[in-house]
Amino acid sequence: TLAPKPAPAPTMVTGKVAMSVSDPATFVEDPEMQAAAKASIAEMAGVQESFIDVTLEVVSRRLGGSPRRLSNGTVQVSYTITIPADAEDGAEAIAGRAETAISSAEAGAVTAVFQHKIADSGRDYTVEVTEVSQPAVVSQPVVVEPAASDMSGGVAERGPVSLLVAGLGLAGAASMARG
């Protein structure tokens, strides 16, 4: 019997946004900022928030000149947009539109989106987007296992170790023939 055909794999868009943030350590630990970053990426890419995972990380700090001023630093937002293979408009098409939208986004416009989402959360952080990386589209490969009827007693039946041993044997024989 043939194994059931595996479901198509999702398509992913990955990238990073770097921004200067007031109080970066508190910012990255704030669950509301995780949600604001997710909402900002969704708006920027034109996809559902449920497709997005984000990770916030402090990558550098600059100390303020005054003891009362919080330190500023750079926060990197790494995102993965996972579009299900069975998405209504097609995963590849949605990923292509998201990649185009993010690629053409200017730092000032992305800053405005983040500031709006942060304000909606009721928090008071100052942010300025300094870089939006070129997004990458990744389609997950689907590994199809051969059906039992495809096994004819050859290398496929014995597995990769037999192939490696057979290959080493051929290499050894070729070396001995030259030597």
Side-chain angles (χ1 to χ4, degrees):
T1 61
L2 295 177
K5 189 173 183 177
T11 300
M12 296 186 295
V13 179
T14 61
K16 298 176 182 183
V17 175
M19 62 181 92
S20 175
V21 177
S22 62
D23 198 7
T26 303
F27 184 91
V28 300
E29 297 299 322
D30 187 338
E32 290 293 326
M33 292 308 92
Q34 297 274 337
K38 192 174 179 176
S40 297
I41 299 296
E43 183 173 321
M44 189 170 73
V47 299
Q48 298 174 30
E49 278 186 52
S50 63
F51 291 173
I52 300 174
D53 287 311
V54 296
T55 303
L56 278 59
E57 176 185 14
V58 176
V59 292
S60 70
R61 282 180 85 116
R62 291 187 311 266
L63 296 178
S66 157
R68 285 187 269 174
R69 197 169 126 190
L70 295 174
S71 61
N72 285 340
T74 300
V75 169
Q76 180 173 281
V77 178
S78 300
Y79 63 86
T80 300
I81 304 168
T82 304
I83 302 141
D86 62 353
E88 188 173 318
D89 291 340
E92 297 270 336
I94 295 169
R97 287 193 302 267
E99 178 189 28
T100 300
I102 295 167
S103 296
S104 63
E106 295 190 13
V110 178
T111 296
V113 170
F114 271 89
Q115 288 174 339
H116 178 75
K117 300 299 181 188
I118 291 167
D120 286 352
S121 75
R123 300 297 200 265
D124 187 26
Y125 294 100
T126 302
V127 299
E128 180 182 350
V129 172
T130 56
E131 182 181 359
V132 179
S133 73
Q134 179 66 33
V137 176
V138 181
S139 294
Q140 292 291 346
V142 176
V143 178
V144 179
E145 296 292 327
S149 63
D150 291 344
M151 305 292 188
S152 58
V155 174
E157 185 175 77
R158 292 189 300 256
V161 173
S162 296
L163 180 60
L164 175 63
V165 170
L168 290 174
L170 289 174
S175 173
M176 288 174 48
R178 279 188 245 139

